[in-house]
Amino acid sequence: SGSRSSKTFKPKKNIPEGSHQYELLKHAEATLGSGNLRQAVLLPEGEDLNEWIAVNTVDFFNQINMLYGTITEFCTESSCPVMSAGPRYEYHWADGTNIKKPIKCSAPKYIDYLMTWVQDQLDDETLFPSKIGVPFPKNFMAVAKTILKRLFRVYAHIYHQHFDSVMRLQEEAHLNTSFKHFIFFVQEFNLIDRRELAPLHELIEKLGSKDR
């Protein structure tokens, strides 16, 4: 199954080796390895909050990219004609530049728009500077919040519409750990409005209660 799990939906976003952000990523991976996710999301002492959020946002993009990559064959125009997270939540796409008025589209189309949009933000050096000493822009936090809010929707779609496929592929532990890490992170820094998290409210409660 080696080839399957390495399949990503979009090209992976790499953090340049030897950079400070790479060090931060390594730190994050080391604390994650300890198994304590609440601890792993905390801002390391003396680090810049924007930089910590940037590194983790790139990491979540890569994780979701990979998780969605494992189930793309089950997420089709016919199986998922609308982008939903259960019967009560439907998402329409708009990016504010190319598509100003929200459009209704299938889940694979929506996720393609979404991941391409996120990738464009991450590749924008004025938004996500990779060089040391280049300051983050004033609107960085607002952009990061929008990225994370949208990435959450991919988790929500996978859980609601494709969890049986995830189980068959035996990817559920991977998905749950990734999502739990994501949720603890956005909760720690208050990055996603509670209303936005409603489609997975019960799961979030359950994941949180195990750690209290």
Side-chain angles (χ1 to χ4, degrees):
S1 73
S3 63
R4 193 198 72 236
S5 58
S6 64
K7 184 170 78 175
T8 56
F9 175 54
K10 297 266 171 215
K12 191 166 185 276
K13 166 80 181 164
N14 288 318
I15 289 176
E17 265 187 69
S19 67
H20 183 62
Q21 293 186 3
Y22 188 77
E23 297 305 312
L24 274 180
L25 183 65
K26 285 283 160 261
H27 169 88
E29 284 169 1
T31 38
L32 274 176
S34 73
N36 183 339
L37 290 170
R38 288 252 182 240
Q39 203 62 43
V41 298
L42 300 176
L43 178 66
E45 209 171 314
E47 291 299 341
D48 176 54
L49 179 62
N50 285 345
E51 196 151 33
W52 182 237
I53 287 175
V55 166
N56 281 279
T57 300
V58 169
D59 192 38
F60 290 127
F61 169 77
N62 287 333
Q63 288 183 42
I64 292 167
N65 199 354
M66 204 161 79
L67 288 161
Y68 184 69
T70 61
I71 57 114
T72 43
E73 63 201 281
F74 312 111
C75 187
T76 62
E77 300 283 329
S78 54
S79 72
C80 303
V82 294
M83 174 62 180
S84 64
R88 289 171 50 211
Y89 300 95
E90 187 179 308
Y91 300 113
H92 296 175
W93 178 255
D95 58 16
T97 43
N98 301 325
I99 299 171
K100 291 191 167 62
K101 197 167 174 279
I103 57 168
K104 193 170 175 162
C105 53
S106 68
K109 190 88 194 113
Y110 184 100
I111 292 171
D112 190 32
Y113 278 133
L114 186 157
M115 297 299 269
T116 303
W117 177 84
V118 172
Q119 208 171 16
D120 289 345
Q121 312 307 303
L122 300 181
D123 287 340
D124 184 342
E125 279 287 327
T126 62
L127 275 179
F128 279 78
S130 60
K131 294 180 181 64
I132 295 209
V134 177
F136 282 83
K138 294 265 186 293
N139 66 333
F140 171 75
M141 203 56 96
V143 173
K145 285 179 173 179
T146 304
I147 291 174
L148 293 163
K149 174 181 82 177
R150 289 178 171 173
L151 287 175
F152 168 82
R153 295 171 181 178
V154 184
Y155 279 121
H157 179 72
I158 294 173
Y159 271 111
H160 277 283
Q161 311 304 131
H162 300 292
F163 197 65
D164 52 342
S165 301
V166 171
M167 301 265 287
R168 278 202 305 278
L169 294 165
Q170 298 179 322
E171 292 276 347
E172 70 268 29
H174 181 184
L175 174 65
N176 288 341
T177 304
S178 172
F179 180 64
K180 188 173 177 179
H181 180 203
F182 178 88
I183 285 301
F184 286 3
F185 188 81
V186 300
Q187 285 174 337
E188 173 66 25
F189 302 105
N190 207 2
L191 298 168
I192 301 183
D193 194 292
R194 280 182 72 118
R195 283 184 315 238
E196 283 286 338
L197 299 173
L200 293 177
H201 172 72
E202 282 163 25
L203 176 65
I204 292 168
E205 287 290 294
K206 204 167 87 183
L207 292 174
S209 66
K210 283 187 189 158
D211 264 75
R212 286 200 183 100

